[in-house]
Amino acid sequence: MKLIMAIVQDKDTNRLTDALAEHDYKSTKLATRGGFLKEGNTTLMIGVDDGQVDHVLEIIEENCSKRDQMVAPISPMGGNADSYIPKPVKVKVGGANVFVLPVESFFHF
């Protein structure tokens, strides 16, 4: 058994959870926040048998698209202003960061 932890952008969460449910995969949602853009993310925990991992990874990849987003800079508060960029910059967002972890045991009470 494996635990798949997928960190996805909030904009992709509903599409992904719907696709997982269509294939009878259950997930638990946790509200999280990214450290780089300081925007909301969702971390999904999905428990599956070893043979289902590749199928779940395909579903995640199909439903979590990468896209460009303009990000307004945050001025440094008391920090070093040498690296401060005063205008918006384009960054890649979206996609998914996925961890596949072994599960030693599972209990459902």
Side-chain angles (χ1 to χ4, degrees):
M1 178 165 234
K2 301 289 188 209
L3 174 64
I4 299 174
M5 295 185 68
I7 304 164
V8 301
Q9 197 173 35
D10 282 344
K11 294 175 184 173
D12 295 326
T13 301
N14 288 338
R15 184 174 51 252
L16 176 57
T17 55
D18 289 347
L20 289 168
E22 284 177 23
H23 295 280
D24 294 324
Y25 295 116
K26 295 176 177 69
S27 61
T28 299
K29 290 183 356 178
L30 302 172
T32 52
R33 180 167 299 280
F36 177 63
L37 296 177
K38 310 286 190 240
E39 291 185 355
N41 291 325
T42 299
T43 299
L44 295 174
M45 298 189 317
I46 310 153
V48 297
D49 292 325
D50 291 356
Q52 298 172 311
V53 171
D54 289 338
H55 186 230
V56 171
L57 293 176
E58 288 173 11
I59 294 170
I60 294 170
E61 186 175 16
E62 290 169 4
N63 289 280
C64 298
S65 59
K66 289 189 177 185
R67 53 199 164 270
D68 291 328
Q69 177 177 318
M70 295 302 288
V71 176
I74 300 171
S75 62
M77 298 291 288
N80 185 353
D82 293 341
S83 62
Y84 175 67
I85 301 170
K87 57 184 176 183
V89 293
K90 187 186 296 187
V91 296
K92 288 257 186 230
V93 298
N97 294 315
V98 182
F99 300 90
V100 179
L101 308 167
V103 175
E104 186 173 318
S105 56
F106 167 75
F107 303 96
H108 182 83
F109 301 109

